Amino acid sequence: MSARYADTSRLERLIRELAPAYGPSGHEDAVRDLIGRHVAPLAAETAVDRLGNLICLVRGSGGPGARRVMIAAHMDEIGLMVTHIDDNGFLRFAPVGGHGPATLLGQRVVFADGTVGVIGAEKLDDIKDLKLDRMFIDTGAADRDAAAARTPVGSTAVFQRSVSAAGTRLTGKALDDRTGCAVLVELMHQLHDHPSPHDVYCVFSVQEEVGLRGARTAAYAIAPDLAIAVDVTAAGDTPKGEKLNMVLGGGTAIKVKDSSLIAHPAVRRVLVDRAARCGIPYQMEVLPYGGTDAGAIHLTHSGVPSGALSIPTRYLHSPAEMVDLRDVAATADLLVAVLAEPLPEDWL
Amino acid sequence: MILRELSEIPGVSGDEHRVREAIWQAVRDRVDGGRVDPMGNLITWKGADKPGPRVMIAAHMDEVGLMVTRIDKDGLLHFRKVGGIDDRVLAAKAVRVGPDGVPGVIGMKPVHLLKPADTRKPVPEQELVIDIGASSKEEAERVVKLGAYASFATAYGEFGNGLVKGKAFDDRAGCALLVELLALEFPFPVYGVFTVQEEIGLRGARVAAYDVAPDLAIVLEATTCADIPGAEPHGQSTWLGKGPAITVMDAATIPARPLVQGLVEAAENRGIPWQWRRTAFGGTDAGAIHLTRAGVPAAAVSVPCRYIHSPCAFMSLSDFEYARQLVAGFLEDVPRVAAQLPGIP
């Protein structure tokens, strides 16, 4: 597997380290600590803001055409928050982010303290009646008090799943968006070794899955000249799957639109031009739903020209998300290629 | 009592000025200053020059209600809801319409004229009208203009074991709490903000928070209380009479954990009863506030209210009083709690 710039084996190691970590929206601390250890030697400044975003500045060499660039990937993953504990110790929950009942049934989940639970459902006459409010988490607790001691109301569980390789592919939970986080860490390595003219703010954001929240406040603090979100997107290459353009192994996906963003044409143009010029495999992404941090960023202050690079992913929001490492590497490559050159006065 | 006074004032989203005036009269001697922003939020402050974290405490002045959208030839007022109201609670309720409070009743066909099957169906808002006793369009237009607001005409009352009933406890209960809390003195700057247009999308709080630029925020609310027959135990958001509710998560906010922890400790350390708000739907002004500027840690404390968003809600005066004690206690702890919040260097 040959990437143009990125260190593919480092990317794989990062994904294997970051994806299994515990980090539902609002509880990104453990992921932030892991990332923090990697990026501390690579950034001129790092800060954690009031919502918990990790903001890292990699200073550029400056000169004409140097900009403030924000690159964002979110640390949080979807989860299940305990809302009620019954007399027998079963936990009812509310979804944190988008969960499908069919995907949850029979899954194993884990809380911040390591408590493991399995997901069961009430006896249903028809599987169509399977709704989240008829499901529960069973942690083996004997009664209410035993459950409340370890998993009180407000505690949150995530899928328990490690990362496995399948050919050039990786599968696991939370590849949405630890894959993007790994790309940003790799980017910071590359920028550290080969400085960009631009001041690059790498933002590991919080609470994307519940409404692009962290990216909004981070973008306000940074006030960037342009922004690129790095996230996963749906793939349309499974049997009788959705009619989508994106395929695993087809390269990094340059976003045209989703529900939160119409990518700025100038940002899109720069991404496509550099990819074509540098021979980095890419595909275009048109997603008829969904959103990324760029959706929040581009509406900050008086507007931020924004785009997104996406990694096509199968089985999104399941414990078996699947990406192709070649697409991950191409995403890192394209970011490096774009940031290597200044942006002229008339780039917009 | 301020809760009674505020509850009975009409103040549907966008029409909060009477509530604002009553609140200003109640707090003007308790604060250093106050002003009304372009959207109508009342922003008051105490100790703005003091060192320490800027604390914003917010409660919304608006209530759910109706707006007149058409006056027909028979003098009946057609309307649309402002904010979330269940159509089933509308029929046959007394309302007051427009700035002069013209009395009216939400009318529908009498039961005698209905087919039996129709009596089992709720009547949608489009088929209901407000009847003010006018017999023609001209007569109605002499007292009510298109676009006039209507609010429920429910008198406040005390009954049972420390319970009260009335309209608009969501969020006049929060407003009344804030009025009482502003009587306290604080060693740090406090902004008491009475917001507009929460019920239609957290609108006032967003611009008020931008203006105040607080370091942390507490939202005072009334919340759903579904401890009633037919509700599944795990669908019951809060219980009446079991103390103020602290939000773990709602559709608009994952509250800042140091603040949630601070609220819980404030209650536990002082022996104040409290409960979790145990469902995750709905939203409060915290949803808008916490995303302001570079981010504002925010949390919410609510008084449980049965039959919220209806013409007549119930709440417990002990929950109200304990909510006041809980937030007052938290405010004593603010210097310690604020030290645990991540900041921007």
Side-chain angles (χ1 to χ4, degrees):
Chain A
M1 211 181 311
S2 67
R4 190 176 172 92
Y5 308 104
D7 180 337
T8 306
S9 61
R10 182 163 55 200
L11 273 170
E12 180 175 348
R13 281 199 307 277
L14 284 163
I15 294 170
R16 284 178 176 277
E17 178 188 359
L18 296 177
Y22 173 89
S25 310
H27 295 74
E28 298 87 353
D29 321 42
V31 181
R32 187 171 59 230
D33 290 347
L34 286 176
I35 293 171
R37 283 203 282 279
H38 285 284
V39 299
L42 305 172
E45 293 171 23
T46 65
V48 178
D49 78 4
R50 290 182 181 187
L51 258 61
N53 298 300
L54 174 62
I55 302 176
C56 310
L57 167 61
V58 183
R59 221 180 280 291
S61 53
R67 314 274 164 202
R68 289 164 77 84
V69 182
M70 173 172 173
I71 313 284
H74 67 89
M75 297 186 287
D76 63 314
E77 65 187 299
I78 57 174
L80 305 172
M81 183 182 280
V82 178
T83 55
H84 179 268
I85 306 173
D86 76 12
D87 290 341
N88 299 317
F90 292 96
L91 314 174
R92 299 288 183 158
F93 57 83
V96 181
H99 274 289
T103 302
L104 278 175
L105 194 60
Q107 289 300 342
R108 196 180 287 181
V109 295
V110 62
F111 288 83
D113 72 343
T115 299
V116 170
V118 294
I119 298 182
E122 298 169 10
K123 163 112 179 50
L124 303 170
D125 292 330
D126 185 339
I127 194 65
K128 287 194 183 117
D129 296 332
L130 186 66
K131 300 274 169 6
L132 296 184
D133 66 359
R134 304 198 64 179
M135 304 174 75
F136 49 80
I137 303 171
D138 181 352
T139 62
D143 55 25
R144 183 195 302 272
D145 290 344
R150 296 197 70 177
T151 56
V153 169
S155 52
T156 306
V158 301
F159 292 125
Q160 186 192 44
R161 190 66 68 93
S162 57
V163 174
S164 302
T168 59
R169 286 161 188 176
L170 295 176
T171 174
K173 73 151 180 91
L175 297 185
D176 174 6
D177 184 29
R178 306 290 161 71
T179 312
C181 293
V183 166
L184 259 63
V185 173
E186 175 61 22
L187 171 67
M188 290 177 68
H189 276 285
Q190 297 298 331
L191 293 173
H192 184 260
D193 297 343
H194 312 285
S196 154
H198 310 290
D199 279 347
V200 180
Y201 290 81
C202 288
V203 175
F204 300 89
S205 65
V206 297
Q207 300 192 30
E208 191 269 356
E209 295 291 359
V210 290
L212 321 180
R213 293 179 189 163
R216 186 199 293 205
T217 59
Y220 184 91
I222 294 166
D225 296 320
L226 80 149
I228 298 168
V230 182
D231 207 335
V232 299
T233 189
D237 59 352
T238 49
K240 296 191 180 175
E242 276 183 277
K243 299 283 182 217
L244 292 170
N245 180 54
M246 295 77 80
V247 299
L248 265 63
T252 186
I254 298 172
K255 190 177 296 283
V256 179
K257 77 161 285 271
D258 59 30
S259 293
S260 74
L261 175 82
I262 295 170
H264 194 289
V267 176
R268 208 175 96 197
R269 190 168 58 238
V270 167
L271 292 169
V272 170
D273 288 353
R274 297 280 159 84
R277 193 143 49 82
C278 299
I280 297 166
Y282 72 96
Q283 48 193 322
M284 301 311 289
E285 178 201 359
V286 178
L287 190 64
Y289 48 83
T292 74
D293 279 344
I297 298 167
H298 83 295
L299 299 178
T300 310
H301 286 285
S302 47
V304 179
S306 301
L309 290 181
S310 302
I311 296 141
T313 305
R314 293 180 187 159
Y315 326 119
L316 277 168
H317 285 204
S318 86
E321 294 174 335
M322 181 183 281
V323 299
D324 192 308
L325 257 180
R326 293 170 298 178
D327 301 333
V328 181
T331 304
D333 278 350
L334 183 49
L335 287 170
V336 173
V338 163
L339 293 170
E341 294 180 20
L343 283 168
E345 249 355 273
D346 60 350
W347 80 278
L348 271 179
Chain B
M1 182 186 179
I2 188 73
L3 177 64
R4 168 195 294 266
E5 181 189 354
L6 294 181
S7 163
E8 291 187 344
I9 300 171
V12 179
S13 309
D15 189 39
E16 300 91 349
H17 64 279
R18 293 178 210 82
V19 183
R20 184 170 60 229
E21 183 54 33
I23 289 172
W24 177 241
Q25 292 309 325
V27 301
R28 59 185 304 168
D29 296 331
R30 301 178 172 190
V31 296
D32 297 343
R35 62 182 196 82
V36 179
D37 79 3
M39 273 190 76
N41 297 300
L42 172 60
I43 300 175
T44 71
W45 55 87
K46 295 183 76 137
D49 298 331
K50 288 180 179 168
R54 291 158 73 88
V55 176
M56 172 170 170
I57 314 174
H60 69 88
M61 297 186 286
D62 62 315
E63 65 186 291
V64 296
L66 314 171
M67 182 183 276
V68 176
T69 52
R70 184 164 68 88
I71 302 175
D72 71 21
K73 62 179 176 21
D74 299 320
L76 297 169
L77 316 180
H78 299 252
F79 62 85
R80 284 292 180 272
K81 295 178 290 190
V82 180
I85 305 176
D86 182 345
D87 284 350
R88 293 174 305 169
V89 307
L90 286 173
K93 300 303 188 298
V95 294
R96 284 172 295 186
V97 187
D100 301 324
V102 175
V105 167
I106 301 178
M108 55 181 288
K109 268 189 201 171
V111 65
H112 318 70
L113 305 183
L114 291 176
K115 297 190 185 79
D118 289 339
T119 62
R120 289 193 285 273
K121 280 186 276 186
V123 186
E125 63 176 324
Q126 298 89 328
E127 293 175 22
L128 294 166
V129 290
I130 301 171
D131 187 343
I132 55 168
S135 55
S136 69
K137 184 172 187 176
E138 293 69 31
E139 193 183 331
E141 284 177 338
R142 275 199 285 278
V143 288
V144 172
K145 291 193 169 50
L146 208 65
Y149 287 96
S151 72
F152 297 117
T154 309
Y156 176 95
E158 301 189 7
F159 67 104
N161 186 14
L163 300 182
V164 291
K165 62 105 181 169
K167 75 161 181 71
F169 289 158
D170 177 5
D171 185 29
R172 306 293 157 70
C175 292
L177 281 172
L178 183 46
V179 167
E180 298 208 3
L181 288 164
L182 288 172
L184 304 173
E185 296 302 325
F186 311 98
F188 44 83
V190 167
Y191 290 78
V193 179
F194 300 88
T195 64
V196 296
Q197 300 190 31
E198 190 271 353
E199 295 291 0
I200 49 175
L202 321 180
R203 295 180 190 166
R206 183 193 293 207
V207 298
Y210 184 91
D211 186 72
V212 172
D215 293 308
L216 65 100
I218 297 292
V219 172
L220 307 177
E221 261 287 7
T223 194
T224 53
C225 177
D227 55 346
I228 51 173
E232 291 268 19
H234 61 278
Q236 296 179 5
S237 182
T238 62
W239 297 301
L240 198 73
K242 298 285 176 77
I246 301 172
T247 298
V248 286
M249 177 176 73
D250 64 29
T253 320
I254 297 174
R257 272 183 294 152
L259 297 192
V260 172
Q261 191 58 30
L263 287 165
V264 169
E265 285 171 9
E268 295 283 337
N269 293 342
R270 291 167 179 81
I272 300 166
W274 68 280
Q275 57 185 318
W276 290 118
R277 181 182 184 273
R278 297 174 302 277
T279 51
F281 50 76
T284 74
D285 277 342
I289 295 167
H290 85 293
L291 298 180
T292 306
R293 293 191 187 243
V296 179
V301 175
S302 303
V303 181
C305 251
R306 282 186 193 157
Y307 323 121
I308 200 167
H309 284 212
S310 88
C312 190
F314 268 33
M315 61 177 244
S316 150
L317 286 176
S318 73
D319 290 341
F320 178 86
E321 169 56 20
Y322 284 130
R324 189 191 66 74
Q325 291 179 20
L326 168 58
V327 179
F330 172 83
L331 290 168
E332 286 175 11
D333 299 344
V334 150
R336 181 175 58 76
V337 173
Q340 297 162 27
L341 295 169
I344 301 161

